[in-house]
Amino acid sequence: MKKIGIIGSGVVAQALGSGFLKHGYEVKLGTSDKSKLADWIKGAGAGAGASVGSFEETAKFGDIVVLAVKGTAAVNALKLMGFSNLRNKTVIDTTNPLADAPPSNGVLKFFTNLDRSLMEELQEAVPEANFVKAFNSVGNAFMVDPPFSGKPTMFICGNNENAKKEVSTIVSEFGWEPADFGKAESARAIEPLCMLWCIPGITRNEWMHAFKLLKL
Ligand SMILES: NC(=O)c1ccc[n+]([C@@H]2O[C@H](COP(=O)([O-])OP(=O)(O)OC[C@H]3O[C@@H](n4cnc5c(N)ncnc54)[C@H](OP(=O)(O)O)[C@@H]3O)[C@@H](O)[C@H]2O)c1
């Protein structure tokens, strides 16, 4: 059974944690405040492959690591995890570079720019890890087994081909169609999909959608 270490205690970490458990993985969630995950661990059923630890313990635990923290805190989270605990591991990067500023007519503000994504910064901070962007452009409610009539598309990118294959397998198990859109630089295009996804939500309170790539 593959072990998944999920760094985070928010809605994304909890949704993916429950999803990985449902799909037969062993899961540890990482936080600096275990009380935030008391309900999750109760719901997940302790002893059924679910546990909680520090960022460092969780990074050590995972054969695959999922990063699900606030974008502004992502680099700090890597430091707390310990770079050496990520060596040669696939790191699924769900984060978005949201600035601490209100949206403008429904458009979220980022602290990055179109020539520099958050995932490139993370990949440069820990070159020995294999970052793959995924799960960033959809709400947490739809990340696992989304209930749409067709399979939505999960755009992924990253520098390591094997890591992307590993993530594509997970994404497929979770009911998505993975679409490999290139190397780490492609996160410059994939991260802003989160802005696009949120516009109907912020402006009209419509959150029940996902993206689909059509091909001939
Ligand atoms: N919400 C969604 O549906 C959604 C969808 C797609 C992508 N995303 C992205 O997924 C990521 C997680 O989102 P979320 O809404 O679940 O959680 P969040 O509220 O954005 O982040 C919570 C996590 O950030 C950690 N954190 C906060 N400040 C920190 C610091 N200074 N150093 C280290 N860690 C820190 C917290 O650690 P502790 O546990 O120690 O408190 C907690 O685990 C975000 O980047 C978000 O943009 C969200």
Side-chain angles (χ1 to χ4, degrees), residues 7-13 30-33 36 55 67-71 73 76-77 80 94-98 135-141 143 194:
I7 308 300
S9 59
V11 286
V12 172
T31 180
S32 64
D33 178 358
K36 290 184 182 173
F55 280 15
L67 185 63
V69 297
K70 200 169 180 266
N76 190 47
L80 295 172
T94 74
T95 63
N96 282 311
L98 303 189
F135 295 105
N136 74 299
S137 334
V138 70
N140 63 86
M143 287 180 176
C194 139

Side-chain angles (χ1 to χ4, degrees), residues 172-211:
S172 302
E173 282 172 8
F174 283 13
W176 290 78
E177 169 191 75
D180 179 352
F181 263 55
K183 304 283 186 190
E185 288 83 350
S186 300
R188 298 172 196 177
I190 295 178
E191 287 172 0
L193 288 179
C194 139
M195 283 186 193
L196 190 65
W197 189 86
C198 285
I199 291 171
I202 298 168
T203 56
R204 301 192 297 274
N205 200 26
E206 290 171 14
W207 302 97
M208 312 292 271
H209 49 270
F211 297 125

